[in-house]
């Protein structure tokens, strides 16, 4: 290791002193908690090497926590003047939010809460670098001028109430150290500070003035072997780092596990991908017997943990309307009382709720929707979930403390609501959930602490502040020590390892671009020497960090990608002094994880038993479920037909505001059906005065809207409903004008059932309209709101065999089959007829083919329909169910059964996707 610089304490000497001296003699301050933990572990290793089994904990803590400890000690000291109270971080944030909200000139497009977070950061930065006093007098941009006003208001608010915030605590340090109760060590060590800000230096000077010996110390420096590696892509770079980490783990001699670091500068953005890569290489079968092999340093927001997300969502549901999808997750959550016992029943209830629930629900609306779903028709009725209903009723019965109440009252109310709901459920929580629950209780307590700043809050404001506190809190469950630490950029500085790999060192990412704080004048930041304020200072900081990495372990690998999709990457100039090697020279074995082992075994013909699973049991007698859609699905993909109509695998209904295309189509069908129920014939249509026809169309539109409103609550309300009714009436009138211009006819069937037989299967269909023509024969008509085509009727696997089936069922009298296109701008008939002139715009068969064969007559066309539909029906009845999409993967675009048939996995394997383990290992299995 490199010896310590003059005037500093060597790392080994510091560890030895901490192990040998009583805790009160030496206090070590670090920039962050991770460095404090690393140094404490080094001291523990020293004790263990000496054969000790127990020892007093050394006094090692982050700089900010030490100041808070000084303040707490002074608060309980009665021998001096009263010490002003320190605001909690949540109270600080709320105070800034109030100060910003009172500014009439604040940006209207950004919420006060978001501005408050940024303002707090700027205020702390200004204090750290001693420029807070110059904010109002220094020329700056509009944001900086606005912040100067907020800062002045915040400073006055602190003075008026006698509070102090975290930045002011540094200024109070000399007074705190002078108090008799202050815990003053003989030696104070500033450990691993790459930069000491002016505010921190003033605190250390105050310590010296109080008679404390202040020294600096740094992490150990290694005489390192530093090599630079280029990878094909950033993804490949992470794979290489994971394989390298595993190789170094397996090569480590003795029982001691090495400390391996992998730095990913953009870890926050790539967290999930990095976790997958390391899991695949280091723990392909899950957790190892000795605990986790790797740990990601960056936690997630507490609000993102499932347990806390449930608590926040339930409180929102109890107080305000939320999207149904959010309420759906609550109904199915194990954190809702008795969720395990009623798991299956609640899942079925959720499917039923989607038919009757409005897009936005609160607790009351959800209970009403459950009652409606439970009272539905027997075939659609939701299963009974009595315990769920009891829990929801109990939560609804918890009375709010009023429209506005103290934050502590809201915290107690929220806790009572969750307790009534049975939170966090009856099953035993795992370790991470227990830790998340403890953090949740801390967040509730922090809500109560807001009373210092805000006397009262509305329920909505209390929930918002609680959500914000959980979003700001970073949660990383403790999992024990892992030998491989995957770190972000800042977390890596100051740590030492047995081996270190730093990724992402491209010229556009390293050195980092300057990032001056937008709320502080840039020239003032540069004058103060803030590293992120200028390109020169940022470059110098990144040079020091690079040099620190180069001595942080005996083996150091610095890497960069060469190509990110279509973007060419180059190495950072800061790695130019180090020697370059090829990735292959690292000698990394291709580890056979679970997926890799499967792929490798796949190349051995004797390792697999081939089984062709294309055949289902034959269908029994009776009417086939699914109507004509069954044959459309059989044509598109036999497995789809089997899954949907025999396994009854269906996608859950989406509950969204407004009407989707299917609902709009249903409305037009209802309008036309009601209109022709009144008219019945072309003669009646021609004879009806225009005013009466308009009244008929309006009445039909109102009736259709009322029906959809009853079936789909919340989707067709208010002004939107009126506009939709007007649109429906106008569309009906425009279509009736087309029907009025036709030769005479009567409507024989409208939305009536037809009995259909094909290939030995019986179906039930519902024909939109069957017109009896005055010239003789029948016309089968189907309303469409899209852009239909007769091409869907043709071929051995017709995309849309519905109308051909209706035509065959109606018999030899059928002379025309047509879509009635109701789409605005395209209204008219589209179809085929036995002869010209039966329907406007509909021609004869002549030019249409099936399987390349030209149909010369109507008889040939219907015979082709009969053959194609009979074959499809016979295949379905026989259990023919291979995964065989008609148009390769295009047929799967809108299919919801991908997770069942796994066609996309086949596509990935055939197309050599990046997730293919073979390609991930550079062609190695």
């Amino acid at each position: 290791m490199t010896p310590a610089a003059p005037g500093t304490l060597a790392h080994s000497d510091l560890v030895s002193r901490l192990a040998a001296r009583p805790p009160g003699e030496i206090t070590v301050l670090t920039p962050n908690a991770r460095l404090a933990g690393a140094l404490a572990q080094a001291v523990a290793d020293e004790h263990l090497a000496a054969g000790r089994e127990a020892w007093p904990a050394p006094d090692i803590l982050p700089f900010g926590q030490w100041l808070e400890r000084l303040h707490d000690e002074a608060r309980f000291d009665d021998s001096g003047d009263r010490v002003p109270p320190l605001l909690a971080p949540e109270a600080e944030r709320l105070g800034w939010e109030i100060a910003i909200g009172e500014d009439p000139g604040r940006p209207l497009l950004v919420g006060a809460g978001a501005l408050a977070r940024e303002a707090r950061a700027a205020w702390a930065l200004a204090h750290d670098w001693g420029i807070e006093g110059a904010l109002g007098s220094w020329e700056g941009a509009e944001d900086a001028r606005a912040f100067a006003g907020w800062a002045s208001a915040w400073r006055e608010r602190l003075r008026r109430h006698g509070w102090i915030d975290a930045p002011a605590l540094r200024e109070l340090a000399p007074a705190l150290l002078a108090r008799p109760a202050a815990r003053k060590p003989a030696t104070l060590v500033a450990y691993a500070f790459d930069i000491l800000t002016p505010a921190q230096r003033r605190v250390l000077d105050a310590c010296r003035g109080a008679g404390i010996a202040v020294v600096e110390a740094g992490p150990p420096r290694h005489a390192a072997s530093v090599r630079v590696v280029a990878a094909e892509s950033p993804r490949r770079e992470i794979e290489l780092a994971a394989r390298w980490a595993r190789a170094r783990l397996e090569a480590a001699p003795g029982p001691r596990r090495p400390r391996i670091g992998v730095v990913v500068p953009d870890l926050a953005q790539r967290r999930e991908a990095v976790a997958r890569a390391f899991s695949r290489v280091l723990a392909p079968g899950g957790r190892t017997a000795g605990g986790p092999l790797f740990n990601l340093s960056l936690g997630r927001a507490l609000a993102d943990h499932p347990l806390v997300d449930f608590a926040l969502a339930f409180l929102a549901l109890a107080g305000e309307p939320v999207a149904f999808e959010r309420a759906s997750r609550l109904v199915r959550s194990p954190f809702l009382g008795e969720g395990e016992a009623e798991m299956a029943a609640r899942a079925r209830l959720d499917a039923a709720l989607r038919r009757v629930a409005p897009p936005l629900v609160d607790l009351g609306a959800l209970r009403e929707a459950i009652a409606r779903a439970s009272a539905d028709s027997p075939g659609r009725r939701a299963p009974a979930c009595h315990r769920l209903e009891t829990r929801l009723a109990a939560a609804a019965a918890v009375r709010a403390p009023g429209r506005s109440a103290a934050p502590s009252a809201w915290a107690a109310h929220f806790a009572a609501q969750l307790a009534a709901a049975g939170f966090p459920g009856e099953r035993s929580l795992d370790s991470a959930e227990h830790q998340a629950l403890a953090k949740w209780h801390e967040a509730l307590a922090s809500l109560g602490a807001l009373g210092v700043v805000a006397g009262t809050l509305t329920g909505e404001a209390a929930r918002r502040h609680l959500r914000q506190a959980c979003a700001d809190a970073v949660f990383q469950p403790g999992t024990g020590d892992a030998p491989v630490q995957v770190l972000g950029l800042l977390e890596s500085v100051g740590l030492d390892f047995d081996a270190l790999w730093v990724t992402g060192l491209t010229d556009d990412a390293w050195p980092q671009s300057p990032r001056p704080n937008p709320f502080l004048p840039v020239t003032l930041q540069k004058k103060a020497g803030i590293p992120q304020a200028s390109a020169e200072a940022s470059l110098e900081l990144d040079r020091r960090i690079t040099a620190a990495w180069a001595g942080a372990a005996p083996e150091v690998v610095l890497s960069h990608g060469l190509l990110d999709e279509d973007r060419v990457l180059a190495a950072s100039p800061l790695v130019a002094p180090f020697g370059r090697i090829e990735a292959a020279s690292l000698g990394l074995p291709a580890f056979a994880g679970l997926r890799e082992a499967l792929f490798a075994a796949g190349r051995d013909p004797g390792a697999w038993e081939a089984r062709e699973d294309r055949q289902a049991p034959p269908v029994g007698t009776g009417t086939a479920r699914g109507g004509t859609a069954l044959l459309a699905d059989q044509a598109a993909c036999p497995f789809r037909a089997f899954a949907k109509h025999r396994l009854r695998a269906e996608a859950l209904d989406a509950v969204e505001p407004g009407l989707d295309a299917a609902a709009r189509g249903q409305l037009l069908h209802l309008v036309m059906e009601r209109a022709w129920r009144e008219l019945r014939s072309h003669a009646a249509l021609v004879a009806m005065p225009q005013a009466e026809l308009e009244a008929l169309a309006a009445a039909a539109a109102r009736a259709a809207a009322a029906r959809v409103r009853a079936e789909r609550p919340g989707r067709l309300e208010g002004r939107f409903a009126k506009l939709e009714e007007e649109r429906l009436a106008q569309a009906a009138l425009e279509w009736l004008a087309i029907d009025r211009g036709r030769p005479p006819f009567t409507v024989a069937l409208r939305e009536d059932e037809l009995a259909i037989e094909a290939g030995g299967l019986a179906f039930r269909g519902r024909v939109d309209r069957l017109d009896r023509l005055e010239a003789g024969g029948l016309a089968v008509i189907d309303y469409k709101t899209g852009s239909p085509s007769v091409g869907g009727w043709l071929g051995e696997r017709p995309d849309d065999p519905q109308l051909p089936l209706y035509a065959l069922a109606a018999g030899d009298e059928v002379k025309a089959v047509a879509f009635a296109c109701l789409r605005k701008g395209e209204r008219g008939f589209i179809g085929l007829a036995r002869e010209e002139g039966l329907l406007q715009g509909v021609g004869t068969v002549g030019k249409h083919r099936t399987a390349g064969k030209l149909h010369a007559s109507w008889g040939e066309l219907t015979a082709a329909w009969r053959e194609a539909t009979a074959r499809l029906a016979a295949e379905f009845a026989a259990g023919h169910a291979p995964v065989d999409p008609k148009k390769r993967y295009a047929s799967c675009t809108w299919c919801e059964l991908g997770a069942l048939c796994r066609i996309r996995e086949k596509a990935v394997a055939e197309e050599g996707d990046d997730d293919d383990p073979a390609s991930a290992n550079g062609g190695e299995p």
Side-chain angles (χ1 to χ4, degrees):
M1 292 187 184
T2 305
T8 64
L9 188 62
H11 179 270
S12 57
D13 292 341
L14 173 61
V15 171
S16 298
R17 291 190 191 185
L18 287 169
R21 304 281 182 87
E25 281 193 24
I26 302 177
T27 293
V28 181
L29 307 183
T30 64
N32 54 53
R34 181 172 289 274
L35 277 168
L39 183 57
Q41 183 60 51
V43 176
D45 291 343
E46 181 92 355
H47 284 294
L48 291 171
R52 302 185 188 102
E53 296 182 355
W55 54 86
D59 194 23
I60 307 170
L61 69 169
F63 196 97
Q65 287 186 20
W66 175 69
L67 289 174
E68 291 176 12
R69 188 174 77 182
L70 283 178
H71 179 267
D72 290 342
E73 291 168 351
R75 289 278 288 168
F76 291 99
D77 177 18
D78 297 331
S79 61
D81 295 336
R82 173 183 171 274
V83 175
L86 174 66
L87 289 176
E90 294 78 13
E92 271 190 52
R93 178 173 43 79
L94 177 56
W96 276 100
E97 190 172 325
I98 292 172
I100 293 170
E102 292 173 349
D103 177 11
R106 71 177 176 86
L108 297 179
L109 297 180
V110 183
L115 290 172
R117 289 194 299 276
E118 299 301 323
R120 279 186 65 212
W123 182 246
L125 185 65
H127 274 264
D128 280 342
W129 292 88
I131 60 175
E132 72 280 1
L135 293 178
S137 58
W138 203 276
E139 184 65 28
E142 183 178 352
D143 287 344
R145 292 194 297 272
F147 174 72
W150 304 337
S152 178
W154 176 238
R155 188 185 291 112
E156 174 57 26
R157 192 176 184 86
L158 292 172
R159 186 199 62 77
R160 187 169 66 249
H161 291 281
W163 304 327
I164 59 170
D165 57 6
L169 195 55
R170 300 177 182 88
E171 301 169 10
L172 194 62
L176 297 177
L177 288 166
R179 298 182 72 91
R183 191 190 317 178
K184 291 181 285 190
T187 303
L188 186 71
V189 181
Y191 177 76
F193 283 87
D194 185 69
I195 294 177
L196 279 168
T197 67
Q200 290 170 330
R201 291 194 179 279
R202 287 195 298 271
V203 172
L204 296 181
D205 288 343
C207 291
R208 293 185 181 96
I212 302 171
V214 177
V215 296
E216 294 184 25
R221 297 285 297 168
H222 300 269
S225 164
V226 183
R227 296 172 291 178
V228 179
V229 170
E232 293 94 324
S233 66
R235 179 190 165 280
R236 168 73 168 156
E237 189 181 7
I238 295 299
E239 291 280 355
L240 283 173
R243 291 168 57 199
W244 171 85
R246 178 169 168 178
R248 296 305 176 265
L249 271 179
E250 294 183 351
R256 175 185 172 272
R257 297 201 293 186
R259 291 171 293 109
I260 298 171
V262 177
V263 179
V264 183
D266 55 350
L267 182 58
Q269 291 75 37
R270 303 177 63 192
R271 191 182 196 281
E272 299 305 322
V274 171
R276 285 195 300 271
F278 274 80
S279 294
R280 191 158 59 231
V281 173
L282 291 175
R287 291 174 62 90
T288 59
L293 290 177
F294 74 95
N295 174 64
L296 269 64
S297 68
L298 289 182
R300 296 173 174 165
L302 178 61
D304 292 338
H305 190 280
L307 181 144
V308 177
D309 177 70
F310 169 86
L312 292 170
F314 190 86
L315 294 178
L317 175 73
E320 60 197 44
V322 301
F324 173 81
E325 291 298 336
R326 198 174 189 195
S328 164
R329 291 196 296 272
L330 295 177
V331 168
R332 294 177 283 114
S333 173
F335 302 117
L336 184 56
E338 292 75 48
E340 293 283 308
E342 290 186 336
M343 181 189 301
R346 291 184 189 183
R348 294 196 299 273
L349 170 64
D350 174 63
L353 282 174
R354 293 168 179 273
R355 295 192 293 266
V356 299
L360 295 175
V361 294
D362 57 14
L363 187 53
L366 178 62
R367 295 176 64 202
E368 291 173 6
I370 291 173
R372 282 198 301 274
S374 301
D376 208 339
S377 59
R380 296 158 54 92
R381 187 173 299 159
C385 296
H386 299 303
R387 296 178 183 178
L388 171 66
E389 294 176 33
T390 300
R391 287 297 186 183
L392 297 181
V398 178
R399 299 191 56 171
R403 186 178 180 279
S404 184
S408 57
W410 284 115
H413 173 68
F414 295 156
Q417 280 186 316
L418 289 171
F423 176 76
E426 78 272 25
R427 70 176 174 83
S428 298
L429 302 180
D430 62 25
S431 174
E433 289 168 341
H434 270 297
Q435 295 176 63
L437 183 61
K439 284 289 187 180
W440 166 254
H441 290 150
E442 291 178 15
L444 273 180
S446 72
L447 174 63
L450 296 183
V452 175
V453 175
T456 61
L457 294 172
T458 63
E460 189 280 330
R463 286 189 295 273
R464 177 168 56 84
H465 287 298
L466 183 58
R467 282 196 304 270
Q468 190 60 58
C470 293
D472 289 346
V474 177
F475 174 66
Q476 176 81 314
T479 57
D481 292 331
V484 178
Q485 295 291 321
V486 184
L487 307 157
L489 178 63
L490 296 179
E491 293 83 8
S492 68
V493 178
L495 295 174
D496 77 297
F497 304 94
D498 294 306
L500 174 66
W501 184 305
V502 184
T503 68
L505 299 180
T506 56
D507 61 350
D508 62 342
W510 194 255
Q512 300 177 93
S513 301
R515 302 181 308 279
N517 191 291
F519 283 152
L520 302 175
V522 175
T523 52
L524 183 58
Q525 295 181 63
K526 290 180 178 179
K527 182 177 176 63
I530 297 176
Q532 296 83 8
S534 68
E536 296 80 8
S538 183
L539 173 61
E540 180 56 32
L541 175 62
D542 291 350
R543 275 201 180 107
R544 291 203 303 272
I545 293 175
T546 304
W549 285 333
E555 179 188 4
V556 178
V557 178
L558 308 176
S559 68
H560 64 90
L562 293 173
L563 191 67
D564 186 6
E565 295 182 350
D566 58 351
R567 188 165 60 95
V568 177
L569 305 175
S572 165
L574 295 184
V575 304
F578 307 109
R580 305 182 68 88
I581 61 169
E582 295 296 324
S585 67
L586 290 172
L588 304 182
F591 295 109
L594 181 61
R595 296 174 77 237
E596 289 83 354
L598 290 176
F599 271 76
R603 298 187 177 95
D604 177 8
W608 294 89
E609 176 187 348
R611 178 170 296 179
E612 192 76 17
D613 191 9
R614 303 163 62 92
Q615 190 68 31
V619 176
T621 59
T623 301
R625 176 183 179 271
T628 60
L630 185 155
L631 294 193
D633 289 328
Q634 185 74 18
C637 177
F639 180 82
R640 182 194 298 183
F642 167 72
K644 288 180 67 173
H645 302 289
R646 297 187 65 183
L647 300 183
R648 302 194 178 187
E650 298 174 350
L652 293 174
D653 293 333
V655 183
E656 298 173 344
L659 299 173
D660 57 19
R664 286 175 173 268
Q666 179 193 9
L667 278 168
L668 274 171
H669 276 71
L670 291 172
V671 170
M672 298 309 300
E673 187 273 334
R674 184 179 178 92
W676 278 109
R677 189 196 316 159
E678 298 292 331
L679 292 168
R680 297 182 181 273
S681 70
H682 177 266
L685 172 61
V686 172
M688 181 172 286
Q690 184 64 25
E692 291 185 26
L693 193 61
E694 291 175 1
L696 173 67
R702 286 194 299 272
R707 179 170 168 180
V708 169
R709 197 156 40 238
E711 293 177 352
R712 303 187 178 200
R715 287 150 169 96
L716 196 58
E717 305 290 345
R719 177 64 178 159
F720 174 61
K722 183 169 180 59
L723 290 172
E724 187 64 21
E725 289 172 12
E726 293 173 357
R727 183 189 74 85
L728 291 170
Q730 183 60 34
L733 287 171
E734 291 180 16
W735 183 259
L736 290 173
I738 294 174
D739 273 341
R740 178 180 275 172
R742 289 173 52 192
F745 63 90
T746 58
V747 177
L749 296 177
R750 55 190 176 280
E751 298 292 341
D752 291 310
E753 279 195 356
L754 274 180
I756 303 170
E757 190 279 332
L761 280 184
F763 304 90
R764 292 191 185 278
R766 187 174 295 276
V767 63
D768 290 351
R769 247 173 71 187
L770 189 65
D771 289 358
R772 183 166 293 282
L773 308 177
E774 186 180 65
L778 300 172
V780 179
I781 296 174
D782 188 58
Y783 299 121
K784 292 294 183 185
T785 54
S787 299
S789 166
V790 297
W793 301 343
L794 308 173
E796 294 182 347
R797 295 171 68 175
D799 293 332
D800 187 7
Q802 180 185 36
L803 282 186
L805 283 167
Y806 289 164
L808 295 173
D812 294 339
E813 284 190 89
V814 173
K815 289 188 174 181
V817 180
F819 293 118
C821 181
L822 301 176
R823 187 184 184 93
K824 188 174 180 64
E826 301 177 16
R827 292 190 176 113
F829 288 108
I830 300 172
L832 297 173
R834 186 178 295 187
E835 56 194 66
E836 297 286 349
L838 295 178
L839 293 175
Q840 182 181 353
V842 174
T844 55
V845 175
K847 299 179 181 179
H848 297 282
R849 299 173 181 268
T850 295
K853 179 182 176 183
L854 184 67
H855 300 303
S857 68
W858 182 262
E860 285 190 13
L861 176 64
T862 55
W865 284 349
R866 185 172 287 106
E867 180 183 349
T869 56
R871 183 175 57 256
L872 291 172
E875 288 178 354
F876 178 82
H880 181 66
V883 178
D884 180 23
K886 174 184 174 182
K887 300 175 183 176
R888 194 167 167 78
Y889 304 122
S891 297
C892 309
T893 302
W894 305 111
C895 180
E896 64 273 12
L897 301 173
L900 193 59
C901 75
R902 300 167 69 185
I903 187 72
R904 292 176 180 84
E905 294 185 23
K906 181 179 179 182
V908 166
E910 291 181 353
E911 295 170 14
D913 187 88
D914 279 348
D915 282 339
D916 183 339
S919 64
N921 283 334
E924 300 164 328

